[in-house]
C-alpha cells in the first residue's frame, strides 16, 4: 500500500485542452481582475471614484513592488 | 480535473499569502513607517520654506488599517490570484510540455515564476517605499513595470523552448546552460535599453531603501516557495487519486 502511494505515476498524461480552456478563461479573468484591484486601481487607472481602494491596499501595493503613487 | 487543480492552487495561494503577510508585517512594515515619517518631515520642511501651513490631508484609511487588514487583504488576494494562475499553467504543462512528476514540476515552475515575475523585474524596476516616486509619472512607471514583466515571462518561455529543442542533440546539461545563457543575454540587453527610472529623493536614507527592497524580495521568495511546494503536494495527491481510479477500472 505504502509502495503504491509513493511510487511515481508511470507517465504523466496531459489534460485535454478542451477541458483546460474554459477553466483557463474563467480563472485567468478572475485572477487578473483581483491583481488589477490590488495593483493598479486608483493608481495608474481608476474605475471607481475616490482613493479608498488605493489607500486600503496601500502598504501591500508598495511591498509587492507595484508603482503606487 | 482542471477545476480541482485550480481550487488547490488558490488554497496554496491563500496559505502562501498568510505566511507572506506575516513576513511583511515583521520585515516590511517598519520600513514603510519610517518612509512615511521621512515623507512627513520633507513636507513639513517644504511648507516652512514657502511660509504656508503644512497641509495635513485627512486620513481616508488609518495607518493601523493600512498595515493590518489592508496589507492582509492585498497580500492574500495577490497570492490567491497567482495561486490560481499557477495551477492553470501547471495543468497545461503537466504531461504535455513536461513529463516530470507533479511535485518536481510544481517546484521548478515556481522557481521559474519567481525568477521571471519577481527577480528580473525588480532588478530593473525595484519596489519603492512611500515618498519615492513622482505622482505625475505613475502611468509611465506602471506601463514600464508591466512591460518588463511581460518581456521577462516571454523570454523565460522562449528559453525553455530552446532548451527542449537542444536536449536531443546537446544533452540535458549543455542544453540547460545554453538556455540559461540565452535568457540572461536577452534580459541583459532589454534591461540596458529600457528607460531608467530614479525618483528617489536625494536625502532619502540609503539603508532604509535597501531594507525595504530586501523585504519586498523576501516576500516574493516566501510566496513562490510556499506556492510551489504546497501546490505540488496537493496536486500530486489529487492526480494519484485520479490515476489509481483509472487503473482500478
Amino acid at each position: 500500500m505504502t509502495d503504491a502511494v509513493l511510487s511515481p505515476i508511470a507517465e504523466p498524461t496531459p489534460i485535454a485542452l478542451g477541458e483546460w480552456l474554459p477553466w483557463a478563461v474563467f480563472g485567468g479573468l478572475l485572477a487578473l481582475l483581483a491583481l488589477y484591484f490590488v495593483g493598479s486601481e486608483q493608481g495608474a487607472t481608476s474605475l471607481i471614484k475616490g482613493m479608498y481602494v488605493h489607500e486600503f491596499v496601500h502598504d501591500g501595493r508598495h511591498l509587492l513592488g507595484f508603482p503606487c503613487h | 480535473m482542471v477545476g480541482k487543480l485550480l481550487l488547490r492552487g488558490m488554497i496554496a495561494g491563500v496559505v502562501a499569502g498568510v505566511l507572506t503577510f506575516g513576513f511583511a508585517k515583521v520585515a516590511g512594515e517598519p520600513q514603510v513607517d519610517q518612509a512615511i515619517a521621512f515623507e512627513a518631515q520633507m513636507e513639513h520642511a517644504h511648507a516652512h520654506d514657502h511660509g504656508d501651513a503644512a497641509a495635513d490631508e485627512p486620513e481616508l484609511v488609518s495607518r493601523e488599517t493600512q498595515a493590518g487588514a489592508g496589507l492582509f487583504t492585498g497580500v492574500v488576494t495577490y497570492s490567491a490570484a497567482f495561486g490560481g494562475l499557477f495551477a492553470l499553467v501547471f495543468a497545461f504543462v503537466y504531461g504535455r510540455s513536461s513529463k516530470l512528476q507533479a511535485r518536481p514540476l510544481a517546484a521548478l515552475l515556481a522557481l521559474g515564476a519567481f525568477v521571471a515575475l519577481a527577480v528580473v523585474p525588480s532588478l530593473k524596476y525595484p519596489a519603492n517605499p512611500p515618498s519615492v516616486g513622482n505622482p505625475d509619472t505613475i502611468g509611465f512607471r506602471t506601463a514600464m513595470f508591466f512591460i518588463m514583466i511581460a518581456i521577462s515571462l516571454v523570454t523565460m518561455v522562449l528559453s525553455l523552448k530552446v532548451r527542449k529543442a537542444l536536449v536531443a542533440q546537446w544533452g540535458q546539461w549543455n542544453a540547460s546552460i545554453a538556455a540559461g545563457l540565452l535568457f540572461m543575454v536577452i534580459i541583459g540587453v532589454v534591461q540596458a535599453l529600457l528607460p531608467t527610472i530614479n525618483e528617489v529623493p536625494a536625502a532619502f536614507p540609503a539603508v532604509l531603501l535597501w531594507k525595504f527592497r530586501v523585504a519586498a524580495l523576501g516576500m516574493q521568495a516566501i510566496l513562490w516557495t510556499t506556492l510551489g511546494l504546497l501546490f505540488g503536494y496537493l496536486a500530486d495527491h489529487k492526480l494519484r487519486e485520479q490515476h489509481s481510479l483509472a487503473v482500478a477500472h
Side-chain angles (χ1 to χ4, degrees):
Chain A
M1 184 59 204
T2 318
D3 280 355
V5 172
L6 288 178
S7 66
I9 296 173
E11 173 93 326
T13 44
I15 298 165
L17 279 180
E19 195 207 329
W20 180 80
L21 196 64
W23 283 109
V25 172
F26 166 74
L29 284 177
L30 208 66
L32 290 180
L33 189 71
L35 288 175
Y36 169 76
F37 271 94
V38 172
S40 301
E41 168 67 5
Q42 291 167 1
T45 58
S46 196
L47 294 177
I48 302 170
K49 267 191 114 151
M51 286 300 273
Y52 191 84
V53 175
H54 175 109
E55 288 297 325
F56 185 65
V57 297
H58 173 270
D59 287 23
R61 197 172 279 191
H62 275 287
L63 283 164
L64 291 168
F66 292 104
C68 193
H69 42 68
Chain B
M1 182 43 83
V2 181
K4 285 168 185 149
L5 289 175
L6 181 61
L7 178 69
R8 277 156 184 78
M10 293 180 76
I11 291 170
V14 169
V15 174
V18 171
L19 290 179
T20 306
F21 165 77
F23 178 77
K25 192 80 189 152
V26 174
E29 276 302 330
Q31 276 68 253
V32 176
D33 280 337
Q34 285 179 42
I36 289 173
F38 172 84
E39 191 174 26
Q41 207 182 343
M42 286 292 110
E43 274 170 11
H44 195 69
H46 191 73
H48 265 282
D49 288 347
H50 292 269
D52 36 67
D56 274 333
E57 296 165 46
E59 270 186 347
L60 201 55
V61 178
S62 74
R63 279 298 302 141
E64 289 73 41
T65 309
Q66 283 186 336
L71 178 67
F72 184 84
T73 309
V75 171
V76 173
T77 308
Y78 177 92
S79 297
F82 271 118
L85 291 174
F86 183 73
L88 290 170
V89 172
F90 175 92
F92 181 86
V93 170
Y94 178 78
R96 181 173 287 114
S97 325
S98 164
K99 293 291 177 195
L100 281 176
Q101 295 290 320
R103 281 176 298 177
L105 178 60
L108 286 177
L109 275 180
L111 181 64
F114 173 64
V115 171
L117 293 170
V119 176
V120 166
S122 76
L123 285 175
K124 182 67 186 176
Y125 301 121
N128 280 319
S131 88
V132 174
N134 173 4
D136 297 337
T137 62
I138 179 76
F140 177 68
R141 283 183 287 127
T142 304
M144 284 302 129
F145 181 64
F146 286 118
I147 288 171
M148 185 68 247
I149 291 177
I151 293 174
S152 171
L153 263 184
V154 169
T155 309
M156 177 65 81
V157 174
L158 176 83
S159 305
L160 288 173
K161 281 192 183 298
V162 167
R163 178 190 174 278
K164 210 176 175 189
L166 292 177
V167 161
Q169 256 187 315
W170 293 15
Q172 303 263 9
W173 184 261
N174 289 337
S176 301
I177 292 175
L181 212 58
L182 177 71
F183 181 77
M184 285 193 279
V185 169
I186 296 177
I187 293 298
V189 171
V190 167
Q191 294 204 337
L193 292 179
L194 282 176
T196 300
I197 297 172
N198 177 16
E199 298 178 347
V200 182
F204 196 87
V207 174
L208 177 55
L209 186 65
W210 168 254
K211 280 185 174 172
F212 178 89
R213 286 175 174 173
V214 170
L217 199 58
M219 285 168 64
Q220 295 288 339
I222 291 172
L223 194 161
W224 288 106
T225 307
T226 311
L227 198 53
L229 297 182
L230 183 57
F231 176 78
Y233 171 80
L234 295 174
D236 190 55
H237 260 249
K238 196 70 215 164
L239 288 162
R240 262 172 216 289
E241 220 177 274
Q242 182 91 347
H243 186 71
S244 46
L245 275 179
V247 170
H249 279 280

